[in-house]
Amino acid sequence: MNALTLVWIVLPFILGFLIYLVAIAARPLAILGALASTAYAIILFTQPPLTLRLIDHFGVSLRLDETTGFFVITNALVTLAVLLYNWQSNKTTTFYGQVLILHGSVNAAFVCADFITLYVALEVLSIATCLLIAYPRTDRALWIGLRYLFISNVAMLFYLVGAVLVYKAHGSFDYVGLRQAPPEAAALILLGLLVKGGIFISGLWLPLTHAESESSVSALMSGVVVKAGVLPLVRIALLLPEFDPIIRLFGVCTALFGVVYAVVDKDAKRILAFHTISQLGFILAAPEVGGFYALTHGFVKAALFLAVGLLPTRNLKELQQQAIPTALWVTLAIASFSISGFPLLSGFGAKVLTMKNLLPWQVVGMNIAALGTAISFAKFIFLPHQRLTSPDQSPLRAGFWLAMALLLGGLVAANVVYYEAYTIANVVKPLATIALGWLVYQLALRHVSVKLPRRLEEFEHLIGMMSLSLVVLFWIVMGW
């Protein structure tokens, strides 16, 4: 397993660099990298949990288990869907090369179990993401990319100091060393991961970044990139029970924080971006089952970002006045049904499983977040639509349908992961939540306009939010 794991980790990087030398094979090589990860993830589901230590106590430590498998297969299939979506586009070798390097760095972040290897993986991930955001080479894209890179690097500077403190206390960079480290080490490391994962107010960099990037890049960022900061938080909660309440608390706060913004916003891509924040909260609210929720969310959000990119406008008020192609509406509706928890799609099982693993003090908050999810995705479900009279009028190409077949088909197939969810009681509750959400939307929110301030999303305030988060974290870890 050691040799196979090492080959799998380095393969995307080798293929990514090879793409620059053999430009004509860029697409097949990129597909090969994603397929290799798919095969490796399937192997992970068939193996007992395994910890690999590659270089003595200095690192590298890897954790291979079912949770890792969920995150890796999400990365593989979302990347594959994005590649298929762009198959007929005029994207250059730079795009495909960076997608593979990003894919490899996300894989590395998912499997590592020590802080210093994770640091390296997250830094490579940040650079690859920045280059993909800036790919259009417009002034706006360059600014958004550099803004993302600056925020990431500042957060990782705090994280690195925390990792050094862990090594000083424990003699290794392993996650479990956090137990013996001083409280300030925990605060600094958690801050870095919260920012990278887009959690709570530390994630206010996320809406503008995801909304202004190309749809393919938004799909990658929302589907898998932010989860590179979330999985380490899940692992810390599972390995160190004393941190479990802290992670769960951030999960509930994040789920509510994101959904409040998503409910009132009228910009389609910003709604999806704020819902990324909210859904990451669902993953953290029940860490022991976060892998399945991450898989479902990755498929849904990648499909939604790819579909929304083909809408004639991002303004929902304007979309309510003009019909969109029925075929495009169907893809939006299926993904929206899944994330709302509708039966027959894996979002149903993921939500039921998450709700069953909540602690009593989390239940009210997470049910409110689930209701907010149903309200905000009613905006997509109730969009007017019409069948096009000629296929030539359709903006949907073969690549789009292949990507949707993979992602939406995955939502149906993943039902088998938790088929025990299909009891009468479990089915009635989400249906009632969705019905109530649609009712609130149709009777109230569809007719009112509420604008929440965006000042905290401005660049000069993001570092301030980071500092505020650090103060809160110091207070939590010292007083918990």
PDB file of all heavy atoms in Angstrom, residues 133-147:
ATOM      1  N   ILE A 133      -7.739  31.052 -10.800  1.00  0.00           N
ATOM      2  CA  ILE A 133      -8.622  32.216 -10.707  1.00  0.00           C
ATOM      3  C   ILE A 133      -8.173  33.298 -11.697  1.00  0.00           C
ATOM      4  O   ILE A 133      -8.988  33.939 -12.371  1.00  0.00           O
ATOM      5  CB  ILE A 133      -8.612  32.783  -9.267  1.00  0.00           C
ATOM      6  CG1 ILE A 133      -9.197  31.770  -8.281  1.00  0.00           C
ATOM      7  CG2 ILE A 133      -9.405  34.089  -9.197  1.00  0.00           C
ATOM      8  CD1 ILE A 133      -9.019  32.160  -6.829  1.00  0.00           C
ATOM      9  N   ALA A 134      -6.855  33.488 -11.784  1.00  0.00           N
ATOM     10  CA  ALA A 134      -6.313  34.545 -12.647  1.00  0.00           C
ATOM     11  C   ALA A 134      -6.198  34.125 -14.109  1.00  0.00           C
ATOM     12  O   ALA A 134      -5.721  34.904 -14.934  1.00  0.00           O
ATOM     13  CB  ALA A 134      -4.935  34.959 -12.123  1.00  0.00           C
ATOM     14  N   TYR A 135      -6.638  32.914 -14.438  1.00  0.00           N
ATOM     15  CA  TYR A 135      -6.461  32.372 -15.799  1.00  0.00           C
ATOM     16  C   TYR A 135      -7.002  33.294 -16.891  1.00  0.00           C
ATOM     17  O   TYR A 135      -6.351  33.461 -17.934  1.00  0.00           O
ATOM     18  CB  TYR A 135      -7.123  30.994 -15.885  1.00  0.00           C
ATOM     19  CG  TYR A 135      -7.093  30.395 -17.260  1.00  0.00           C
ATOM     20  CD1 TYR A 135      -5.938  29.791 -17.754  1.00  0.00           C
ATOM     21  CD2 TYR A 135      -8.214  30.449 -18.089  1.00  0.00           C
ATOM     22  CE1 TYR A 135      -5.909  29.261 -19.026  1.00  0.00           C
ATOM     23  CE2 TYR A 135      -8.194  29.919 -19.351  1.00  0.00           C
ATOM     24  CZ  TYR A 135      -7.041  29.328 -19.824  1.00  0.00           C
ATOM     25  OH  TYR A 135      -7.011  28.806 -21.091  1.00  0.00           O
ATOM     26  N   PRO A 136      -8.161  33.951 -16.722  1.00  0.00           N
ATOM     27  CA  PRO A 136      -8.650  34.827 -17.809  1.00  0.00           C
ATOM     28  C   PRO A 136      -7.750  36.030 -18.081  1.00  0.00           C
ATOM     29  O   PRO A 136      -7.913  36.707 -19.096  1.00  0.00           O
ATOM     30  CB  PRO A 136     -10.027  35.273 -17.295  1.00  0.00           C
ATOM     31  CG  PRO A 136     -10.432  34.251 -16.297  1.00  0.00           C
ATOM     32  CD  PRO A 136      -9.156  33.831 -15.643  1.00  0.00           C
ATOM     33  N   ARG A 137      -6.823  36.348 -17.171  1.00  0.00           N
ATOM     34  CA  ARG A 137      -5.848  37.441 -17.327  1.00  0.00           C
ATOM     35  C   ARG A 137      -6.512  38.814 -17.393  1.00  0.00           C
ATOM     36  O   ARG A 137      -5.915  39.753 -17.912  1.00  0.00           O
ATOM     37  CB  ARG A 137      -4.974  37.233 -18.572  1.00  0.00           C
ATOM     38  CG  ARG A 137      -4.190  35.952 -18.584  1.00  0.00           C
ATOM     39  CD  ARG A 137      -3.123  35.917 -17.488  1.00  0.00           C
ATOM     40  NE  ARG A 137      -2.258  34.775 -17.635  1.00  0.00           N
ATOM     41  CZ  ARG A 137      -2.476  33.583 -17.084  1.00  0.00           C
ATOM     42  NH1 ARG A 137      -3.550  33.394 -16.333  1.00  0.00           N
ATOM     43  NH2 ARG A 137      -1.629  32.603 -17.258  1.00  0.00           N
ATOM     44  N   THR A 138      -7.705  38.966 -16.908  1.00  0.00           N
ATOM     45  CA  THR A 138      -8.322  40.283 -16.814  1.00  0.00           C
ATOM     46  C   THR A 138      -7.862  40.941 -15.515  1.00  0.00           C
ATOM     47  O   THR A 138      -7.396  40.261 -14.586  1.00  0.00           O
ATOM     48  CB  THR A 138      -9.852  40.184 -16.809  1.00  0.00           C
ATOM     49  OG1 THR A 138     -10.255  39.447 -15.645  1.00  0.00           O
ATOM     50  CG2 THR A 138     -10.356  39.456 -18.057  1.00  0.00           C
ATOM     51  N   ASP A 139      -7.983  42.278 -15.460  1.00  0.00           N
ATOM     52  CA  ASP A 139      -7.574  42.978 -14.236  1.00  0.00           C
ATOM     53  C   ASP A 139      -8.366  42.469 -13.031  1.00  0.00           C
ATOM     54  O   ASP A 139      -7.816  42.297 -11.945  1.00  0.00           O
ATOM     55  CB  ASP A 139      -7.798  44.486 -14.408  1.00  0.00           C
ATOM     56  CG  ASP A 139      -6.815  45.095 -15.397  1.00  0.00           C
ATOM     57  OD1 ASP A 139      -5.808  44.420 -15.715  1.00  0.00           O
ATOM     58  OD2 ASP A 139      -7.065  46.220 -15.868  1.00  0.00           O
ATOM     59  N   ARG A 140      -9.663  42.246 -13.238  1.00  0.00           N
ATOM     60  CA  ARG A 140     -10.519  41.774 -12.154  1.00  0.00           C
ATOM     61  C   ARG A 140     -10.085  40.387 -11.683  1.00  0.00           C
ATOM     62  O   ARG A 140      -9.981  40.127 -10.484  1.00  0.00           O
ATOM     63  CB  ARG A 140     -11.977  41.729 -12.643  1.00  0.00           C
ATOM     64  CG  ARG A 140     -12.999  41.302 -11.608  1.00  0.00           C
ATOM     65  CD  ARG A 140     -13.163  42.335 -10.542  1.00  0.00           C
ATOM     66  NE  ARG A 140     -14.270  42.038  -9.640  1.00  0.00           N
ATOM     67  CZ  ARG A 140     -14.470  42.666  -8.494  1.00  0.00           C
ATOM     68  NH1 ARG A 140     -13.645  43.635  -8.105  1.00  0.00           N
ATOM     69  NH2 ARG A 140     -15.506  42.368  -7.730  1.00  0.00           N
ATOM     70  N   ALA A 141      -9.819  39.490 -12.630  1.00  0.00           N
ATOM     71  CA  ALA A 141      -9.424  38.129 -12.264  1.00  0.00           C
ATOM     72  C   ALA A 141      -8.078  38.122 -11.534  1.00  0.00           C
ATOM     73  O   ALA A 141      -7.896  37.384 -10.552  1.00  0.00           O
ATOM     74  CB  ALA A 141      -9.357  37.252 -13.516  1.00  0.00           C
ATOM     75  N   LEU A 142      -7.143  38.951 -12.007  1.00  0.00           N
ATOM     76  CA  LEU A 142      -5.835  39.025 -11.345  1.00  0.00           C
ATOM     77  C   LEU A 142      -5.979  39.533  -9.911  1.00  0.00           C
ATOM     78  O   LEU A 142      -5.339  39.025  -8.987  1.00  0.00           O
ATOM     79  CB  LEU A 142      -4.904  39.933 -12.154  1.00  0.00           C
ATOM     80  CG  LEU A 142      -4.453  39.373 -13.510  1.00  0.00           C
ATOM     81  CD1 LEU A 142      -3.723  40.446 -14.309  1.00  0.00           C
ATOM     82  CD2 LEU A 142      -3.553  38.158 -13.329  1.00  0.00           C
ATOM     83  N   TRP A 143      -6.845  40.534  -9.711  1.00  0.00           N
ATOM     84  CA  TRP A 143      -7.051  41.075  -8.365  1.00  0.00           C
ATOM     85  C   TRP A 143      -7.679  40.029  -7.448  1.00  0.00           C
ATOM     86  O   TRP A 143      -7.232  39.836  -6.309  1.00  0.00           O
ATOM     87  CB  TRP A 143      -7.926  42.329  -8.439  1.00  0.00           C
ATOM     88  CG  TRP A 143      -8.565  42.696  -7.129  1.00  0.00           C
ATOM     89  CD1 TRP A 143      -9.892  42.765  -6.849  1.00  0.00           C
ATOM     90  CD2 TRP A 143      -7.895  43.037  -5.901  1.00  0.00           C
ATOM     91  NE1 TRP A 143     -10.106  43.108  -5.541  1.00  0.00           N
ATOM     92  CE2 TRP A 143      -8.900  43.282  -4.923  1.00  0.00           C
ATOM     93  CE3 TRP A 143      -6.564  43.135  -5.530  1.00  0.00           C
ATOM     94  CZ2 TRP A 143      -8.607  43.628  -3.626  1.00  0.00           C
ATOM     95  CZ3 TRP A 143      -6.265  43.474  -4.214  1.00  0.00           C
ATOM     96  CH2 TRP A 143      -7.271  43.719  -3.283  1.00  0.00           C
ATOM     97  N   ILE A 144      -8.685  39.335  -7.948  1.00  0.00           N
ATOM     98  CA  ILE A 144      -9.340  38.316  -7.120  1.00  0.00           C
ATOM     99  C   ILE A 144      -8.351  37.206  -6.760  1.00  0.00           C
ATOM    100  O   ILE A 144      -8.318  36.720  -5.623  1.00  0.00           O
ATOM    101  CB  ILE A 144     -10.558  37.717  -7.863  1.00  0.00           C
ATOM    102  CG1 ILE A 144     -11.626  38.789  -8.123  1.00  0.00           C
ATOM    103  CG2 ILE A 144     -11.175  36.563  -7.068  1.00  0.00           C
ATOM    104  CD1 ILE A 144     -12.235  39.367  -6.883  1.00  0.00           C
ATOM    105  N   GLY A 145      -7.531  36.803  -7.715  1.00  0.00           N
ATOM    106  CA  GLY A 145      -6.549  35.754  -7.460  1.00  0.00           C
ATOM    107  C   GLY A 145      -5.518  36.177  -6.424  1.00  0.00           C
ATOM    108  O   GLY A 145      -5.208  35.423  -5.488  1.00  0.00           O
ATOM    109  N   LEU A 146      -4.991  37.400  -6.570  1.00  0.00           N
ATOM    110  CA  LEU A 146      -3.984  37.878  -5.612  1.00  0.00           C
ATOM    111  C   LEU A 146      -4.602  38.109  -4.233  1.00  0.00           C
ATOM    112  O   LEU A 146      -3.962  37.863  -3.202  1.00  0.00           O
ATOM    113  CB  LEU A 146      -3.361  39.178  -6.141  1.00  0.00           C
ATOM    114  CG  LEU A 146      -2.465  39.000  -7.362  1.00  0.00           C
ATOM    115  CD1 LEU A 146      -2.021  40.347  -7.910  1.00  0.00           C
ATOM    116  CD2 LEU A 146      -1.240  38.147  -7.022  1.00  0.00           C
ATOM    117  N   ARG A 147      -5.830  38.556  -4.205  1.00  0.00           N
ATOM    118  CA  ARG A 147      -6.543  38.741  -2.926  1.00  0.00           C
ATOM    119  C   ARG A 147      -6.667  37.401  -2.201  1.00  0.00           C
ATOM    120  O   ARG A 147      -6.397  37.300  -0.995  1.00  0.00           O
ATOM    121  CB  ARG A 147      -7.926  39.336  -3.221  1.00  0.00           C
ATOM    122  CG  ARG A 147      -8.874  39.485  -2.041  1.00  0.00           C
ATOM    123  CD  ARG A 147     -10.182  40.073  -2.567  1.00  0.00           C
ATOM    124  NE  ARG A 147     -11.207  40.245  -1.538  1.00  0.00           N
ATOM    125  CZ  ARG A 147     -12.092  39.313  -1.208  1.00  0.00           C
ATOM    126  NH1 ARG A 147     -12.060  38.138  -1.826  1.00  0.00           N
ATOM    127  NH2 ARG A 147     -12.997  39.545  -0.277  1.00  0.00           N
TER     128      ARG A 147
END
